[in-house]
Structure formats: C-alpha cells, structure tokens
Amino acid sequence: MATELSPSQIAGEVGRNSGSVPASSRKKTAHPFWRGFGLLLISVGAFLLACPILNRVLPAREFPPLVREKMTFLARHVNEYNTLFLGSSRMQAHVMPTVFDRDVADHDIHSFNAGVAGMYPPQDGWMLDQILALKPAKLRWVFVELQMLETTLPRTNRDSMQLLSWHDWPRYLLLCERWLTTHPHRHWRDRVEEFTDRWPDFCAHTVLFIRYYTDLGRGSALLQRRIHPESAPVNDWTLLGPDGDGFLPAVHALTKSEFAGLEGDMAKRRKSPPVRESADPISRQALASIVAKIRRAGATPVLVVPPTARGTYFAPAPKTSPGLIVLDFGQPQKYPELYDTKYRVDPSHLNAAGAVIFSHLLAAEFLKAVGTSP
C-alpha cells in the first residue's frame, strides 16, 4: 500500500529531484534601487573628498575687481601699515587715511583704507581673513564698520565673482544659522513666514557655496589662461584712489528730484535720530568672530557707526561689550555737519568734502577714546 506524502514532503522531493536550492539557502541580492543609491552615495562621497585636493592643486582663486587691487597692493606693502579700515563703501568713501594720519600723528599711525563697496557681513569677515593671511607684523588698529549680517542677495548678477569669492564654509555656516534663527517671541506662524521669506536667498547662497566648494568653472578659466596668457586680469591701480591709500570718493550727480528726496531724508533724521539696536544673535556672533581674530593678530578693534539716514543702526550694547571702542556717528545732533545735504551724494554716502570732515571727526573721537598720548 502506497504511503501518502504531506505537501511539505512533496515539495522537498521535487526540489531534490530538480536539483534546485532551497529558498532558505539562496543568497539574497539587494534591490536594484538600493544598489544604485549606494553607488551614487559612493560617487558623491569620492567627489566631495576630491574637491579639497583639487583646490590645493589649482592656482589660487582670483579676487574680484577692487578687492584684487587692494589685496595685491597690501601683499607688497603690508608691513608699511599699522592701521586698517574695513567695511563697505561707507568706509571706502568716508575715511581719508592721509587726513586721519595727520590728525593722529603723535600715535605714529600709517593707515590704509581696505573698505570695498558692497562688502557687508559676512563678506567683511572673509576680507579680514585674506588680510590676516598676509601676516601683517605691525598691525595695531583695525577700524570695522558696524553692520548687520546681510542675507539678501541682489536680484541680478548673482553669479558675480564678488559674490562667489566669499562663499566658503565659515561664511556659509553663518548664513545657515541666520536662516534657522527667527525671532523667539513671535507667533509660530510669523516664524514660519520668516523662513519662507528667506528661502529663495538661502537657496541662491547654497548654489554659490556648492560652486565655491566644488571649484566649478575654475578648470576652464585655467585652460583659458594657459591658451591666452594675456587674458589674466590686469590690476587697475586707479582703484586705490587719488592718494593710493584705498580711499575712493563717492561721486554721483543728483537730479532735482533726487536732491529733494535727500533733503527730506536728512531732515527726517535730524528730527528723529536713528535708534541703536543690538541686532540678531548671528550678526553679533559674526562681529564677535571678527573682534576675536583682530585681537589674536595682536591688534585692537575699533568699531565705527557711520552717519546713517536709516531709522535704526547696529551697535553692541555697552554692557555686553566691555573694553570695546565704539565710535558712534549715528547722532545728527552731535554731528550736524554729517547730516547736511551739501556734504552728501545720497542718503548713505558723504561727498569728498564730507569725507574730509568725517576723517577729522573720526580722528578726534579716536583720540578721545585712546588718549592723546601714544
């Protein structure tokens, strides 16, 4: 009588007879999607690891115009100066080193204006890093324009060399922190709105950071330089100003309507002086980093509030910044000449005559802060 087999025994007999391997002993293979994803991660990781090596192999990055002229000049004469002015066009077009140095002659100061138009935090920190990399041996004073961290990019020319040049990791990290930091006492809906308002500019900053880190485009520029050596940028020394000390006067011919608007702006500020504010924590963090670097270089930071037509301005609170020298010119009642339209080209900039007045006042306030004796 034949013995009946159970279903499992029948399956085993069929497997043995067909020579197939039981399912439990078959080698499992990864899903094609995960295999591809793993290979992609390996490729991206290898590329990111190679980028710093390529950066060392490639020639030094080019500086944007004006920065290039000032950095090239400083590289040749860095130890001839013991004082620097750092900031945007409000430093570049307001401080005349020749005037300032004469007024503080007892302190044996030789200064250079390293201000660059459009250079707002965190770009000024990048500029300071480039200067300190030259290892200035005689640096004693660094005047820094007080500004809040600027995260908004211009609507056009977002791929310019000046924007790309400073998007390194330290600056990008500050931008990320600024994007993630919102006002703590606002409703959550308002905080979400802050995030969304900043999102387009943050994405643009991220693209610039990726281009900076991966050196995209530098290979073609290097090839172009090899093929056409004459295509290398030529320094325009006129960008160092009429006295070759970095001061560049602001020049702008106002129309009648612009002049009327300027008079209105100045009258408003004289009536309602700008209000000091401590700014956001990331702006204060960026400033603290600059102050620390200047001190590590053996110099003393001097913080300067330029004469502004805005309703508010950034300056650290005295209680939270002991030992810091802050020269505040955001006071129309104390410095009325700086808010007179005949010394202005626009709400943000003084003309050449105004720059002379400002340089004298800056020297006078500096001497009050540090003493007349060297």
Side-chain angles (χ1 to χ4, degrees), residues 160-176:
S160 67
M161 187 183 296
Q162 180 155 343
L163 284 177
L164 179 63
S165 62
W166 58 268
H167 274 81
D168 55 8
W169 175 246
R171 260 53 64 171
Y172 182 67
L173 182 60
L174 275 174
L175 292 170
C176 290

Side-chain angles (χ1 to χ4, degrees), residues 214-374:
T214 59
D215 294 304
L216 289 176
R218 288 184 68 195
S220 61
L222 178 61
L223 181 61
Q224 180 72 10
R225 187 74 54 79
R226 296 282 187 181
I227 298 173
H228 302 289
E230 67 277 5
S231 65
V234 179
N235 289 93
D236 181 3
W237 299 118
T238 63
L239 295 178
L240 294 180
D243 294 317
D245 54 12
F247 164 75
L248 277 172
V251 180
H252 179 59
L254 293 176
T255 64
K256 287 185 178 180
S257 61
E258 287 176 330
F259 185 77
L262 177 60
E263 285 189 318
D265 289 333
M266 293 299 103
K268 183 178 180 180
R269 284 288 72 84
R270 288 192 293 268
K271 184 178 180 180
S272 302
V275 178
R276 176 201 292 251
E277 63 177 28
S278 58
D280 61 274
I282 309 305
S283 292
R284 297 197 298 270
Q285 180 182 327
L287 175 62
S289 174
I290 286 178
V291 167
K293 288 177 181 178
I294 292 171
R295 286 173 169 167
R296 283 198 298 269
T300 301
V302 180
L303 310 182
V304 180
V305 177
T308 178
R310 295 180 178 178
T312 61
Y313 65 90
F314 165 46
K319 292 182 179 180
T320 61
S321 53
L324 274 178
I325 301 174
V326 180
L327 308 182
D328 184 356
F329 295 95
Q331 305 176 60
Q333 286 87 356
K334 187 176 181 180
Y335 309 103
E337 58 270 61
L338 299 180
Y339 293 83
D340 191 323
T341 52
K342 68 180 179 181
Y343 297 122
R344 289 270 177 172
V345 295
D346 58 40
S348 296
H349 300 97
L350 299 165
N351 57 25
V356 173
I357 295 172
F358 181 77
S359 299
H360 283 306
L361 289 172
L362 182 66
E365 294 299 326
F366 172 71
L367 291 176
K368 287 181 185 177
V370 302
T372 54
S373 301

Side-chain angles (χ1 to χ4, degrees), residues 136-168:
K138 299 182 179 180
L139 192 61
R140 290 171 53 198
W141 306 96
V142 180
F143 289 70
V144 180
E145 178 189 354
L146 281 169
Q147 307 174 84
M148 287 189 285
L149 191 78
E150 181 60 63
T151 58
T152 304
L153 289 171
R155 298 298 97 186
T156 58
N157 298 325
R158 289 190 167 195
D159 60 346
S160 67
M161 187 183 296
Q162 180 155 343
L163 284 177
L164 179 63
S165 62
W166 58 268
H167 274 81
D168 55 8

